């Protein structure tokens, strides 16, 4: 058994297909499918059920995920320790991403990482289930760090560091009565066509908690498209103020009877020690994107 085979296996778990796994690893698709097949022969078990569209983990595959991640983590720790002896900080850090991060200067943070620690590479992963999905990937070891936005229902075993906060605003057609008033209350949405976002997204969790009685007419996985729909008069949608500000021409209204604050955090698991590289990236993200004085540079 080779560590490369375990890497192929885990990439397939994370990406769902051989093609997507190969793309994420920058190798040809045949290398991944052949590597996984060889691993299955050596283990004497079937790790995936191959369907026409996706790879589905078998019971044996699910049992292999955690040990495989630990094996790769041990490999990384060996490289980390040897680099430390040479006075270097190097290695890959896998960071869970958000759809929109206009509130924070993430690009600036990455520039500082590159300047201070050119041996660190960052791989960004974005869960379709938003912040809640990112936290699940953090727990199972797929991510070293993750950004979260808004609310996450379960943060047990997770350490979070606050970076920034801003209100959610209601985006509408420019001539909508709520936009002309510039304000709304939760009860106003009972009679509106609401454009929602997928379960697990931080914005969706906030709206579910604060405005459960609303008329949802569509669910989209793109806040910019949601704004476009609202601007056209299709419905109304709640997004972070910075996201709304980047798209001109729509009407805006602020909630006056609910606390619709959208908080951005960077988080890591309490059950796993961060590598030196991950710890360096965490410190720089907090330094550049967090409140002044949050981390000593």
């Amino acid at each position: 058994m080779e560590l490369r085979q375990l890497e192929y296996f885990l990439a397939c778990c994370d990406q769902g297909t051989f093609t997507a796994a190969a793309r994420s690893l920058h190798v040809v698709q045949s290398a991944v499918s052949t590597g996984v097949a060889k691993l299955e022969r050596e283990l004497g078990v079937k790790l995936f059920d191959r369907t026409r569209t996706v790879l589905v983990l078998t019971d044996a595959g699910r049992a292999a995920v955690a040990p495989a991640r630990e094996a790769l983590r041990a490999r990384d720790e060996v490289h980390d320790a040897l680099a430390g002896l040479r006075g270097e900080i190097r290695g890959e850090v896998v960071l869970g991403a958000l759809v929109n991060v206009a509130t924070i200067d993430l690009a600036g943070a990455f520039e500082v990482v590159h300047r201070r620690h050119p041996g660190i590479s960052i791989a960004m992963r974005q869960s379709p289930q938003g912040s809640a999905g990112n936290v699940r990937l953090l727990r199972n070891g797929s991510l070293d760090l993750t950004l979260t936005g808004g609310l996450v229902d379960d943060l047990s075993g997770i350490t979070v560091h606050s970076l920034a906060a801003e209100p959610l605003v209601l985006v509408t057609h420019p001539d909508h009565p709520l936009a002309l008033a510039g304000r709304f209350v939760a009860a106003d949405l009972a009679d509106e066509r609401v454009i929602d976002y997928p379960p697990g997204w931080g914005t969706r969790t906030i709206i579910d908690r604060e405005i459960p009685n609303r008329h949802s007419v569509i669910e989209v996985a793109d806040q910019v498209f949601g704004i476009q729909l609202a601007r056209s008069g299709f419905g109304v949608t709640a997004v972070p103020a910075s996201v709304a500000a980047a798209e001109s021409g729509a009407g805006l209204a602020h909630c006056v009877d609910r606390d619709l604050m959208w908080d951005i955090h960077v988080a890591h698991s309490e059950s796993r020690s961060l590598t030196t590289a991950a710890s360096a990236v965490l410190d720089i993200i907090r330094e550049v994107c967090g409140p002044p004085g949050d981390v000593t540079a």
Side-chain angles (χ1 to χ4, degrees), residues 2-272:
E2 299 175 1
L3 289 176
R4 173 64 68 176
Q5 293 170 331
L6 297 180
E7 191 171 20
Y8 290 163
F9 164 62
L10 291 174
C12 290
C13 294
D14 295 337
Q15 302 297 325
T17 67
F18 288 127
T19 300
R23 189 181 304 118
S24 72
L25 295 170
H26 307 291
V27 298
V28 296
Q29 185 268 343
S30 59
V32 176
S33 57
T34 300
V36 171
K38 184 178 179 182
L39 180 62
E40 289 178 319
R41 288 194 299 272
E42 292 178 359
L43 295 175
V45 296
K46 188 177 180 182
L47 299 171
F48 295 106
D49 287 322
R50 279 85 162 160
T51 73
R52 292 177 61 87
T53 55
V54 296
L55 298 170
V56 180
L57 281 168
T58 62
D59 288 344
R62 281 188 289 273
V65 170
R69 293 201 192 281
E70 288 304 317
L72 293 187
R73 182 174 292 275
R75 175 202 62 185
D76 293 341
E77 288 175 350
V78 170
H79 288 299
D80 196 29
L82 295 177
L85 289 176
R86 298 189 296 268
E88 303 173 356
I89 298 179
R90 60 188 309 111
E92 182 181 73
V93 177
V94 186
L95 174 69
L98 297 176
V99 171
N100 288 296
V101 290
T103 316
I104 60 174
D105 185 15
L106 192 61
F110 288 173
E111 188 279 327
V112 174
V113 171
H114 174 68
R115 176 160 39 87
R116 293 183 187 172
H117 310 294
I120 292 178
S121 62
I122 298 173
M124 298 189 73
R125 302 284 185 267
Q126 186 172 302
S127 169
Q129 290 78 45
S131 292
N134 283 350
V135 168
R136 284 194 292 272
L137 293 175
L138 194 65
R139 283 199 174 95
N140 71 23
S142 299
L143 302 176
D144 298 304
L145 305 168
T146 189
L147 298 173
T148 67
L151 291 176
V152 178
D153 288 332
D154 181 12
L155 286 172
S156 58
I158 303 296
T159 296
V160 297
H161 305 276
S162 180
L163 299 178
E166 63 178 311
L168 296 181
V169 297
L170 192 71
V171 182
T172 72
H173 184 276
D175 296 328
H176 193 287
L178 294 179
L180 295 177
R183 63 201 297 273
F184 75 99
V185 296
D188 289 333
L189 296 193
D191 298 322
E192 297 292 337
R193 293 166 51 88
V194 176
I195 301 160
D196 268 329
Y197 300 97
W201 283 36
T203 49
R204 171 66 178 269
T205 307
I206 292 171
I207 297 301
D208 281 348
R209 184 189 70 178
E210 298 293 342
I211 312 177
N213 299 317
R214 63 188 188 278
H215 176 42
S216 179
V217 293
I218 192 172
E219 183 182 292
V220 299
D222 184 335
Q223 290 179 338
V224 172
F225 182 52
I227 291 173
Q228 292 171 350
L229 286 173
R231 188 171 54 208
S232 73
F234 180 86
V236 302
T237 192
V239 300
S242 62
V243 179
E247 298 293 318
S248 62
L252 301 178
H254 296 266
C255 187
V256 295
D257 71 335
R258 294 288 191 278
D259 182 20
L260 301 185
M261 290 300 296
W262 191 70
D263 300 290
I264 296 183
H265 298 88
V266 60
H268 56 90
S269 172
E270 294 174 357
S271 63
R272 293 183 180 85

